Amino acid sequence: MEKAIARDYAVNPRIELGLTSVGRSDTMPEHKYGPAVRPYYLIHYILAGSGTFKVNNIAYHLHAGQGFLIEPNYRTTYVADKETPWSYVWLGFTGKSAATWVDQLNLSETSPVFSSDESYRLANCVNEILALNNLTPAKNLRAISYLFRFLSYIASGVVANVQPIRPEQNHYVTQAIHHIGHHLTTVTVDNLAQAINVNRSYLTDLFKQDLDLTPSEYIRNFRITKARHLLESSDISIDQVAEQCGYQRTNSFTRVFKQTYGISPRQYRQQSKN
């Protein structure tokens, strides 16, 4: 469990840069978020406590004064420490120029962790955005200015030298995970096996051994969690959400979503807005 205040914003996909989410959370011991797949960039900064951040099955144990970047279409999980659960703030953003700004931070999927001693200023950027109810054009510009300040404080910090905890994951599984993230709309278990040059039954055995999931279960979870975040952070149609997540038929997507979350995609979107 966690005590959190958060807001999600729908962003026009043609915009140069826009906020998708902002928030602050004080977590309980061992509070877990994920596995999740987001269609936008997301940066967390730890104000207190500690926890573990995992991206594509590589884990980093982090503490106050550190933070981490989540890039679009990567499968991530994070868990609060049992003894010293963490508190953190976050900002999510997207847009045509988002990748350009992230490049200036020297962070990436393979080097996602940073350190900063600007704890007060980073928290204040988030608090100032949270105080802006109903983003009018003027308030949206002010929010974007705080996003740039947030990024500038991170850029003035350093890339943290944190040793990742790397499981003994089979290199075929690693290749498969990377392929899924970059070919989500078209990937099937058969063409996934072909892409990494193994047969389907062997790939299934490897996934069960390393991830306790079949490849089809992994792809399904990847798609449905990305769909959930698209519903929260965009105004694109349900048909477009289904298409971007690899569902050829919207009714198939709706059925899977309802099985997973108990409500339809349309109801979920309305609930998240409320």
Side-chain angles (χ1 to χ4, degrees):
M1 294 180 63
E2 62 178 337
K3 297 179 180 178
I5 177 171
R7 291 198 176 90
D8 295 308
Y9 308 101
V11 177
N12 187 319
R14 294 185 297 275
I15 201 169
E16 283 296 325
L17 190 69
L19 281 168
T20 57
S21 64
V22 60
R24 174 173 181 155
S25 176
D26 300 312
T27 65
M28 301 296 284
E30 298 185 307
H31 170 73
K32 178 181 178 182
Y33 190 91
V37 180
R38 297 173 180 80
Y40 50 83
Y41 290 95
L42 186 64
I43 297 177
H44 285 67
Y45 178 75
I46 305 163
L47 300 172
S50 60
T52 300
F53 166 64
K54 184 185 290 186
V55 54
N56 289 345
N57 222 33
I58 298 172
Y60 301 84
H61 189 70
L62 306 176
H63 54 74
Q66 296 178 320
F68 53 91
L69 167 72
I70 297 175
E71 291 192 301
N73 296 330
Y74 284 94
R75 189 172 186 262
T76 60
T77 304
Y78 33 102
V79 185
D81 188 81
K82 183 177 181 180
E83 303 297 332
T84 56
W86 50 13
S87 298
Y88 48 66
V89 292
W90 72 85
L91 276 178
F93 54 96
T94 190
K96 293 188 291 185
S97 65
T100 302
W101 293 108
V102 170
D103 285 345
Q104 298 185 43
L105 305 179
N106 293 319
L107 301 174
S108 66
E109 175 259 338
T110 56
S111 183
V113 179
F114 64 91
S115 296
S116 175
D117 58 5
E118 299 284 7
S119 178
Y120 173 79
R121 289 189 172 97
L122 287 164
N124 185 63
C125 289
V126 170
N127 291 335
E128 291 288 351
I129 296 172
L130 287 171
L132 298 171
N133 295 321
N134 301 321
L135 290 187
T136 62
K139 288 181 178 179
N140 181 62
L141 288 171
R142 195 177 309 165
I144 294 298
S145 75
Y146 285 115
L147 169 60
F148 277 118
R149 290 188 194 183
F150 189 88
L151 297 178
S152 74
Y153 298 139
I154 294 171
S156 65
V158 295
V159 176
N161 185 23
V162 178
Q163 283 298 113
I165 305 166
R166 295 180 180 271
E168 291 299 320
Q169 187 176 78
N170 186 281
H171 72 280
Y172 286 126
V173 175
T174 302
Q175 284 181 270
I177 289 172
H178 188 268
H179 184 86
I180 291 167
H182 287 82
H183 301 87
L184 188 61
T185 58
T186 58
V187 69
T188 66
V189 179
D190 285 333
N191 66 32
L192 177 62
Q194 291 173 3
I196 63 173
N197 201 29
V198 298
N199 66 56
R200 177 173 176 148
S201 61
Y202 182 54
L203 181 64
T204 298
D205 289 341
L206 292 176
F207 263 72
K208 285 181 177 179
Q209 179 181 314
D210 281 18
L211 303 176
D212 200 28
L213 293 169
T214 66
S216 60
E217 288 171 337
Y218 186 94
I219 293 168
R220 177 189 180 279
N221 292 348
F222 201 112
R223 283 175 167 156
I224 208 68
T225 54
K226 179 177 179 179
R228 178 164 65 91
H229 285 288
L230 275 172
L231 291 168
E232 294 171 351
S233 63
S234 76
D235 278 334
I236 64 175
S237 69
I238 304 299
D239 289 344
Q240 289 173 305
V241 172
E243 182 182 357
Q244 288 189 25
C245 295
Y247 293 94
Q248 295 182 351
R249 295 185 179 88
T250 303
N251 59 353
S252 298
F253 163 60
T254 300
R255 184 177 65 254
V256 173
F257 193 93
K258 196 166 185 179
Q259 288 172 347
T260 306
Y261 296 112
I263 57 176
S264 71
R266 196 173 305 280
Q267 289 170 320
Y268 183 87
R269 170 171 275 172
Q270 187 61 46
Q271 188 179 88
S272 67
K273 287 182 178 179
N274 292 338

